[in-house]
Amino acid sequence: MKYEDIPEHLILNYEALKIVLFEEVKPLFIDRPHVLSRWSSLAYQMTKEEILKQKPTEEMRSFGVLISLLTEAFFYQKPITKEMIQDIVKSSGETIKAFIAGHLYQEFPDVEIKYSVNDTRIDEALEKDYILSSTNMDFHLMRDMVTKKSEFKEGDAGYLATEIIDNRGNVKGVAELRPHELQTELTIEQQVWLETLGETLNSLDDLTADLFDLISYLWLTQPKSSDGYIEFHSNDALRLRNIKKRSFAGKEFDYREEDRFNIMRRVAALSSIWVSLGDQTIKIVNTEGLQDNELYKFKDFQKMFEIGKIRIAYDKNTGEAKGIYAVQVRPTSILTPYLEGPKKTLGILDLRVFKYNHSSQRAHKRLTRYLNLQWRIRTVRNTLGQPFKVGTLLKEMDFSSRYNGVTLRDKFENTLDDLQADGVIKKWIYIDDIDEEMVGKRNWVKQYWSKLNLQILPADFILKENKKILSSQLTLNNKLIGETINQTAADTEIVSKPVILNYMEENPKKVQAKINSLESITLTPEKMKETLDYLDMSIRQAAEEIGIAHTTLSRYIKRQNKRQNKKNDEKMLNWIKQKLS
């Protein structure tokens, strides 16, 4: 039987289903010739047991699992056609690939250990030059905390601990490094993992923060197991960091084990950090009673990341464990609200942050993260032109204390120059003129230079993509509210209490503040131009949505209208309020 001879709408028998399924999923596994070779032989032949039972046998292993996934999960007790298989592969290809990955590893362990199920997502990130990251400040503080190993000191409970402090000096939480409590009899994988944990404190640096972001992004975008895990492979980080593979005589081989170990020991470090965030009450640093724990009101400690199954490579000749290649991982409930819950605020994180060296270009990494966070916040507030204080940026960049005076200024300005040259920022410039006579005087950094203002403008693509995210989120929110209202009305014939009303009852102050801010908007040509810039929308597009001629809108913005049209003014004002709501 040939694939081409099978009609699209024919209900498939078992023999035809195998052939169609193989041919349709082939593009998903084109990078795995060892898998396709095995599956091809199984797809185009029928064993006596298959002929008798008309279902896959245990010997078919991963291909049998693939058939069962289709017949028992996607199309349970339904007749299946070629067209149906084409549609499901098109819509759920990544899910299928992720589901089968574990079975492939069991069947082809020596080869599959080198493959990542996240290749497609990493390809997309490399093409776009960015990933998505939470821009919530508490999320940023937890990420920043993993870069500062020197601040972990022995605490009351015997663990190394540090306070999570915001830029105003408020203690937002406490983090502790805790050893994993594993059972007495350990598997080989757990033993190797335990050895990896031995480097926990020394593994806290800005590369660890990169992995914090990458794992969060993959968890946000990749299919998850039934218990919420995604698979993180060392290849994912090594590709983003542009680490070169080993080569010999012009041929490229695999990544060095040392490079893999450097990644996985930092993942181990992330899984060893327990965090307790503040609940209402905070503690102020540098006040009396600094040691008084009653000033804290923290929630229970939670791990930041949970580790599931561990994938290890073994030496073919000796059978000894070579190293950890991949792990199942998931952020816990202390992080997930920032990725999918009510605190979800996503923005662009420039991929250049992964390529900067975590030792020699630490300031580059830290400033890139901070500025990308600020671009998202300032896009929402429409304050992209707001200046930065030199002192604020110095604190974020966290230069070594051995740099001071003129050397510190050179490091600071050179970092900004590098970010501009690399396209991370569009432009930077001092707003305040520098009085060079002040440079070099006693305490000139603290008393003079750190108080100066400078302007930094985001790269165009960062601004554009952040606006897209905001616009799509607004559209989604409006759609969800509309669907809720419509569904409630359809079910009860009266919209008694849709989600939006619940929100108003539970958050009256926020809702009233939002209403007040919208009511205070005044229609002016400048406000209209500002709104168009914020939405990255053309005059023609806006005019079409408003319901006026684009020439009318253009003349209004340029103040060329000879007479006022109250109806048009009302349409424009209502449109602005709708877009900014």
Side-chain angles (χ1 to χ4, degrees):
M1 185 182 298
K2 293 183 178 180
Y3 168 80
E4 295 79 7
D5 296 336
I6 302 173
E8 290 197 352
H9 301 291
L10 176 71
I11 294 176
L12 304 175
N13 61 21
Y14 174 73
E15 183 180 4
L17 185 143
K18 288 203 307 176
I19 294 171
V20 171
L21 182 57
F22 168 71
E23 294 295 342
E24 291 300 333
V25 300
K26 189 190 295 185
L28 297 178
F29 299 92
I30 198 68
D31 59 335
R32 288 170 160 85
H34 57 287
V35 173
L36 295 182
S37 175
R38 168 69 174 156
W39 286 3
S40 178
S41 63
L42 294 171
Y44 283 96
Q45 64 180 359
M46 292 279 288
T47 64
K48 291 181 180 180
E49 186 177 351
E50 284 182 281
I51 294 171
L52 180 65
K53 295 182 177 180
Q54 292 293 296
K55 65 180 184 180
T57 63
E58 288 186 7
E59 290 75 17
M60 295 170 69
R61 304 193 66 174
S62 60
F63 190 60
V65 172
L66 180 64
I67 296 170
S68 297
L69 176 65
L70 187 82
T71 58
E72 297 176 17
F74 287 118
F75 302 118
Y76 180 63
Q77 292 186 342
K78 290 182 180 180
I80 303 172
T81 67
K82 187 176 186 179
E83 184 180 42
M84 291 167 66
I85 294 177
Q86 290 171 341
D87 290 341
I88 204 66
V89 171
K90 184 177 181 181
S91 63
S92 304
E94 287 303 310
T95 302
I96 293 171
K97 195 170 181 179
F99 183 85
I100 294 296
H103 297 277
L104 294 179
Y105 175 64
Q106 293 174 8
E107 189 171 354
F108 311 99
D110 293 340
V111 185
E112 280 295 315
I113 190 71
K114 299 176 183 179
Y115 285 86
S116 169
V117 298
N118 304 316
D119 280 343
T120 301
R121 197 64 64 197
I122 298 301
D123 288 340
E124 289 176 1
L126 290 168
E127 183 177 343
K128 292 180 178 179
D129 273 335
Y130 69 79
I131 63 171
L132 297 177
S133 177
S134 171
T135 55
N136 183 283
M137 187 53 71
D138 285 346
F139 186 91
H140 173 70
L141 292 174
M142 284 188 279
R143 174 180 61 189
D144 192 54
M145 169 266 297
V146 308
T147 70
K148 299 178 177 179
K149 63 184 177 186
S150 62
E151 295 186 8
F152 279 83
K153 309 296 181 184
E154 188 163 340
D156 297 337
Y159 299 119
L160 293 174
T162 186
E163 294 170 328
I164 300 173
I165 304 173
D166 69 15
N167 56 9
R168 295 181 180 178
N170 297 329
V171 175
K172 306 288 292 202
V174 174
E176 293 182 345
L177 288 177
R178 298 185 178 184
H180 280 243
E181 298 177 3
L182 297 173
Q183 59 266 35
T184 305
E185 295 184 7
L186 303 177
T187 64
I188 295 176
E189 287 80 8
Q190 288 171 330
Q191 288 175 353
V192 175
W193 186 251
L194 199 60
E195 291 171 7
T196 307
L197 288 173
E199 295 278 336
T200 298
L201 181 61
N202 290 331
S203 300
L204 298 183
D205 55 23
D206 282 87
L207 177 52
T208 313
D210 290 344
L211 300 178
F212 184 107
D213 277 316
L214 178 54
I215 291 171
S216 299
Y217 169 68
L218 291 173
W219 188 86
L220 185 69
T221 57
Q222 283 291 78
K224 304 172 185 62
S225 67
S226 58
D227 43 6
Y229 286 99
I230 55 132
E231 181 170 287
F232 170 78
H233 199 289
S234 48
N235 282 12
D236 303 335
L238 294 171
R239 289 184 63 197
L240 290 189
R241 293 186 66 213
N242 200 27
I243 299 297
K244 302 300 181 185
K245 293 184 177 182
R246 291 177 298 139
S247 60
F248 180 75
K251 291 184 178 181
E252 187 177 71
F253 296 92
D254 198 9
Y255 293 107
R256 296 186 306 162
E257 294 301 323
E258 179 184 354
D259 290 328
R260 292 193 186 280
F261 177 72
N262 284 336
I263 295 298
M264 299 315 295
R265 70 184 175 94
R266 286 171 170 83
V267 176
L270 287 175
S271 72
S272 302
I273 299 175
W274 294 65
V275 171
S276 176
L277 288 184
D279 185 11
Q280 305 300 323
T281 304
I282 56 176
K283 188 185 81 173
I284 309 298
V285 178
N286 297 328
T287 63
E288 294 183 8
L290 185 64
Q291 303 302 319
D292 186 358
N293 290 334
E294 292 182 0
L295 288 175
Y296 290 106
K297 188 179 178 184
F298 290 138
K299 302 173 185 175
D300 293 336
F301 276 91
Q302 289 178 274
K303 275 173 144 182
M304 288 202 301
F305 293 93
E306 289 275 4
I307 299 297
K309 295 178 181 177
I310 301 165
R311 283 173 56 182
I312 289 179
Y314 294 89
D315 188 284
K316 288 183 180 180
N317 298 319
T318 65
E320 294 182 2
K322 292 170 58 180
I324 300 168
Y325 273 52
V327 294
Q328 283 189 325
V329 61
R330 67 182 180 194
T332 69
S333 58
I334 205 163
L335 292 179
T336 51
Y338 306 106
L339 301 173
E340 65 172 6
K343 299 178 182 178
K344 176 180 176 180
T345 54
L346 300 179
I348 301 304
L349 179 61
D350 195 312
L351 220 57
R352 177 66 66 172
V353 74
F354 292 94
K355 297 176 183 177
Y356 287 130
N357 186 280
H358 62 281
S359 297
S360 60
Q361 295 177 305
R362 181 171 180 267
H364 296 65
K365 279 182 173 290
R366 297 180 59 79
L367 188 56
T368 298
R369 289 193 204 101
Y370 177 71
L371 290 177
N372 278 229
L373 171 74
Q374 287 296 320
W375 300 148
R376 169 59 165 75
I377 295 171
R378 294 181 179 206
T379 299
V380 173
R381 297 176 180 173
N382 200 22
T383 56
L384 288 168
Q386 180 181 338
F388 293 90
K389 287 281 186 191
V390 170
T392 300
L393 300 183
L394 284 173
K395 186 175 181 179
E396 291 295 333
M397 295 161 84
D398 195 26
F399 284 107
S400 169
S401 58
R402 71 176 182 270
Y403 298 127
N404 53 58
V406 176
T407 304
L408 180 63
R409 177 184 165 185
D410 287 343
K411 287 283 183 183
F412 175 84
E413 293 178 353
N414 287 340
T415 301
L416 284 168
D417 285 341
D418 288 344
L419 263 57
Q420 181 172 326
D422 292 336
V424 176
I425 63 177
K426 186 175 183 178
K427 183 180 180 182
W428 77 274
I429 189 172
Y430 282 104
I431 295 176
D432 304 319
D433 292 333
I434 297 181
D435 183 355
E436 295 295 342
E437 292 185 2
M438 294 290 295
V439 176
K441 290 187 176 181
R442 182 179 177 83
N443 290 329
W444 71 277
V445 170
K446 183 177 181 180
Q447 295 180 2
Y448 171 67
W449 181 54
S450 64
K451 297 178 180 179
L452 296 182
N453 294 298
L454 51 85
Q455 186 178 59
I456 307 175
L457 298 178
D460 289 340
F461 88 95
I462 293 284
L463 182 59
K464 182 179 179 181
E465 294 302 321
N466 273 334
K467 285 181 177 179
K468 281 184 182 178
I469 293 170
L470 291 172
S471 179
S472 62
Q473 188 62 51
L474 178 63
T475 302
L476 177 61
N477 290 343
N478 289 340
K479 181 180 179 183
L480 290 175
I481 291 173
E483 289 175 350
T484 302
I485 293 173
N486 292 336
Q487 186 60 48
T488 307
D491 291 342
T492 65
E493 296 186 347
I494 298 176
V495 183
S496 57
K497 195 175 182 182
V499 170
I500 192 167
L501 296 184
N502 284 334
Y503 178 83
M504 291 176 71
E505 291 175 5
E506 295 168 7
N507 304 271
K509 291 183 180 179
K510 290 184 179 179
V511 172
Q512 190 58 52
K514 187 65 176 177
I515 291 172
N516 292 341
S517 67
L518 291 174
E519 288 180 348
S520 66
I521 293 176
T522 303
L523 177 66
T524 63
E526 290 76 20
K527 187 63 180 178
M528 177 58 74
K529 179 66 166 61
E530 180 184 299
T531 305
L532 292 180
D533 290 342
Y534 169 68
L535 297 172
D536 194 23
M537 184 177 285
S538 69
I539 290 176
R540 186 178 295 274
Q541 287 175 306
E544 186 176 341
E545 288 190 6
I546 295 168
I548 60 177
H550 77 276
T551 52
T552 301
L553 181 57
S554 178
R555 284 197 302 270
Y556 176 78
I557 293 173
K558 296 176 181 178
R559 295 183 178 273
Q560 293 176 350
N561 283 338
K562 295 180 180 179
R563 66 179 68 179
Q564 186 178 8
N565 186 315
K566 291 184 179 181
K567 287 186 178 181
N568 285 346
D569 287 354
E570 185 178 353
K571 288 180 180 180
M572 288 189 286
L573 181 58
N574 289 338
W575 181 81
I576 290 174
K577 288 181 178 180
Q578 178 191 355
K579 288 297 184 182
L580 299 183
S581 63

